[in-house]
Structures are given as structure tokens and as C-alpha cells.
Amino acid sequence: MMKFLKTIVLMMLLVGMVQAKTGVVTGGVAHTMPPWFKSSFLELADDVDEAKDNNRHVMLFFHLDECSYCDHMVKDFNQQPLKALIQKHFDVIAINIRGDKEVAINEEESLTEKELAAKVGVQYTPTVVFLNQKNQQVARTNGYRSPAKFTQTLGFVSSKAYENSTLAQYVESLKKTGTYQLQSHAMFAKITDFSKIKAPLAVIFEDKNCDACAYFYNTTLQDKNIKKEFDAFKVVRLDAGSTQAIIDNKGNKTTPKNWVQQLKLNYRPGIVLFNAGNEITRIDGFLYKFHFQEVLRYVSGDFYQEFATYNAYLAYRQKQLLEQGIDINISQ
């Protein structure tokens, strides 16, 4: 009888193993590129020459299938006045970061789409890279940007302001008077000497024109998993327009205003993640909760030492969670 019961228990365990739940990914959005994007042979030097002849610049739109951020931005591109502004000044070429099409950068170098994305260092999609009329990168945005913020980048490139300034300097020069009031949070530490912080450090830059800060406080920081990941960091919030004296992570005397310019950080809230005194990565585009928490974990868990890129880590992490039966929503 005992042997029979053991057999039954073993069978039940085996059935349970077979029927164990595998997690699913939800929130992905299928999207198509607008028909007015350039139908390119992906010979970038020729594309740049053609754009120059029409007094335009080339914009490379690095995207990913089922990317909800890409879908959101493509929809923005199809709305006026943004659509007219892009069509007037830019030839837009779509690059799939997992694609195998050959891209000829110039006569000497050709790469597949995914190799080019790796070379450019695409971390978030969509990443938009702008080329000048000499086939050189002069600006980029990482991740989703609102139409108002993206329009600033378009103005920077179309006016050729890149010849005399950085994008961060250009945005600062616009001197728009925003109404956002910087908020406080219990996790924010008061630190002015960042050279002494060797533990994981998150420096959040905000300013009065921060159109994504409300979402950051009201949605992102309300998530228990994100708050738990932040527990591993010293977290400091700085006013990107402040002239308060501070010491940066390299021991240089500076101000938040100068530091953010040196970092070439033009997104707000822009979050730079350090460990052992060195910048590891940054959040300089809009992220939903899952991707946000995993960027934090990538740094605090030292996974950057094992995985050369955040994307490589993310693929590993997503597979791990799904095998544990955990569902992942990538658009909330």
C-alpha cells in the first residue's frame, strides 16, 4: 500500500512538472513604418548625398518588432505638425536592430542592421541617430521622446546648431519657462561630494521644463518593485539648472548645471547610474516599469560585469522570469 501511495505521489509531481506554468510576455505592439519613410537601398553615403542635395539630413530610426515605444513614436510622427517638420528637413530610414539586411555605411564598411545597432550602442528602442551632410553622427535620442521634446532635437539638427554646440547646450539655450516644481522624496539623499560614493549611485537630473517628471513620481515611483530596486542605490536628485557647488564622481569641482552639460544629458528626468565611481549606464528616455526596474538591477546586481550590454542582460533576465512562470508586461 505504501509503495502504491509513493507511486501516486511521484506521478502527481511529474504531472505538475509537465503542467508547470510558463510566463508570457504581453504589451508588445505590432507596428509598421510610415509609407513616407525613405525606401532606401541602405547605402548610407548615397542617402546622405541625396539628402544634402535637397537640403535635408538623414535620420536613422532604430526600431524593434513588437516595441510599444516604437509604435507610440511612429504614431507621433504621423501627426501634424511633427510630420510636416520631419518631411521638410529629414529623410527617415528604418533600421531593425535584429535585422539582417546589409547596411553600407560607406565604401569601406558594411554591416548588418543588428551589427550596426550594436556598433551604435543602441540600448533602448526607438533610438534615433542623426547624420550630418558628411555622413557623421551629430545627435541621437535614446528611447521615446514626446513630440515637444523631439521637436527640439529636430531644430538642433535642421539648423545645423551641432556645428557650434551640443544638443544639451542647444536645449538649454532655448530658455523656455516651465512650470514644473521639483518634488521631494524620502529616498533622496543630500550629497554634494560624489567622488566619495563607491556604492551604486543614481543621480536624477530634473528641471522646470521636465514634462516626464509627473509620470516618474506618480507612476514609476509608485511601483513596489522599482522602489525595492532603488533601495540598493544612494539616490540623489539635482536641479539641472542649479549653480550650487558640488564635486562630481571624478573629483572635479562643478555645479549640477555644468555637470549635466558635461554628461550631455538632454532628457528629464535623466538618471545616470554609477557603480564604484564610474558611470555604468543611464536612463535618458521614457521607460515603462519592467524595463525601468531591470536597468536598475543591471547596475546594482553587477550584471554589467557579466553582460556587455543591457540588451544582452535583458534577454537573459526575460528568459529567466518566463521559465519561473512569471508574466511580463512591457507596456505598463
Side-chain angles (χ1 to χ4, degrees):
M1 183 67 177
M2 184 62 67
K3 184 176 180 181
F4 174 74
L5 289 174
K6 287 182 178 180
T7 301
I8 295 297
V9 171
L10 179 60
M11 290 176 63
M12 291 175 66
L13 289 173
L14 289 173
V15 170
M17 291 174 63
V18 171
Q19 295 180 343
K21 176 182 179 292
T22 299
V24 295
V25 177
T26 59
V29 181
H31 58 275
T32 57
M33 295 301 104
W36 50 268
F37 274 23
K38 183 175 182 179
S39 180
S40 169
F41 291 108
L42 300 181
E43 296 180 354
L44 297 187
D46 291 344
D47 289 321
V48 167
D49 287 341
E50 186 175 335
K52 181 180 179 180
D53 290 341
N54 293 295
N55 197 29
R56 294 194 183 108
H57 288 75
V58 167
M59 179 197 301
L60 302 180
F61 186 81
F62 288 88
H63 67 101
L64 177 67
D65 294 342
E66 301 294 321
C67 166
S68 56
Y69 309 100
C70 302
D71 176 68
H72 197 169
M73 204 156 182
V74 165
K75 287 177 178 175
D76 288 345
F77 282 7
N78 274 319
Q79 299 299 314
Q80 301 294 2
L82 188 59
K83 178 180 178 180
L85 185 61
I86 295 173
Q87 289 182 306
K88 180 178 179 180
H89 296 289
F90 298 91
D91 289 338
V92 189
I93 299 172
I95 305 289
N96 189 322
I97 70 166
R98 293 181 182 169
D100 294 313
K101 294 179 181 178
E102 184 175 326
V103 183
I105 300 174
N106 48 47
E107 292 183 357
E108 291 76 33
E109 185 176 14
S110 293
L111 300 168
T112 64
E113 291 173 287
K114 58 188 173 187
E115 289 171 340
L116 177 59
K119 179 175 181 175
V120 170
V122 173
Q123 178 165 287
Y124 307 123
T125 51
T127 287
V128 184
V129 171
F130 296 85
L131 303 178
N132 67 7
Q133 293 169 346
K134 296 180 181 178
N135 199 16
Q136 300 165 327
Q137 178 180 320
V138 292
R140 69 183 284 170
T141 59
N142 302 316
Y144 174 79
R145 298 291 177 95
S146 69
K149 296 301 182 184
F150 194 70
T151 296
Q152 294 176 342
T153 307
L154 298 178
F156 171 73
V157 178
S158 62
S159 68
K160 299 184 180 180
Y162 54 77
E163 294 178 347
N164 302 301
S165 68
T166 65
L167 176 57
Q169 291 169 336
Y170 175 81
V171 171
E172 176 68 19
S173 72
L174 298 178
K175 295 182 179 179
K176 292 186 176 180
T177 302
T179 59
Y180 173 75
Q181 299 291 321
L182 273 66
Q183 301 183 43
S184 60
H185 196 279
M187 71 178 179
F188 292 163
K190 294 182 179 180
I191 297 172
T192 57
D193 186 351
F194 296 91
S195 66
K196 297 180 179 179
I197 309 299
K198 302 304 177 184
L201 169 68
V203 182
I204 304 171
F205 290 93
E206 301 177 14
D207 62 23
K208 60 187 178 182
N209 296 306
C210 183
D211 63 344
C213 282
Y215 184 94
F216 175 65
Y217 284 96
N218 297 334
T219 302
T220 306
L221 285 186
Q222 298 304 311
D223 185 82
K224 64 179 181 179
N225 293 322
I226 289 175
K227 288 192 287 188
K228 182 178 178 181
E229 293 300 337
F230 264 126
D231 287 342
F233 290 82
K234 288 281 187 182
V235 184
V236 180
R237 191 279 312 284
L238 296 176
D239 181 348
S242 171
T243 56
Q244 173 192 5
I246 62 171
I247 299 175
D248 68 17
N249 61 308
K250 298 299 182 182
N252 302 309
K253 293 182 179 180
T254 186
T255 66
K257 183 176 181 178
N258 289 337
W259 196 15
V260 78
Q261 291 290 327
Q262 180 187 358
L263 291 167
K264 298 180 180 179
L265 190 64
N266 54 70
Y267 180 81
R268 308 287 186 270
I271 305 176
V272 184
L273 303 176
F274 301 87
N275 206 357
N278 298 311
E279 179 182 342
I280 306 303
T281 191
R282 57 180 62 184
I283 300 173
D284 54 353
F286 176 80
L287 292 179
Y288 289 115
K289 297 174 187 176
F290 173 70
H291 293 125
F292 196 106
Q293 75 184 47
E294 291 305 327
V295 176
L296 298 178
R297 187 174 184 270
Y298 175 64
V299 177
S300 66
D302 292 334
F303 290 101
Y304 63 89
Q305 297 184 12
E306 180 180 355
F307 299 93
T309 66
Y310 167 67
N311 281 330
Y313 159 76
L314 188 63
Y316 152 81
R317 177 62 170 162
Q318 183 167 299
K319 182 174 183 291
Q320 180 186 57
L321 292 174
L322 294 177
E323 288 176 347
Q324 293 173 9
I326 298 174
D327 295 337
I328 300 170
N329 191 316
I330 60 174
S331 64
Q332 285 187 348

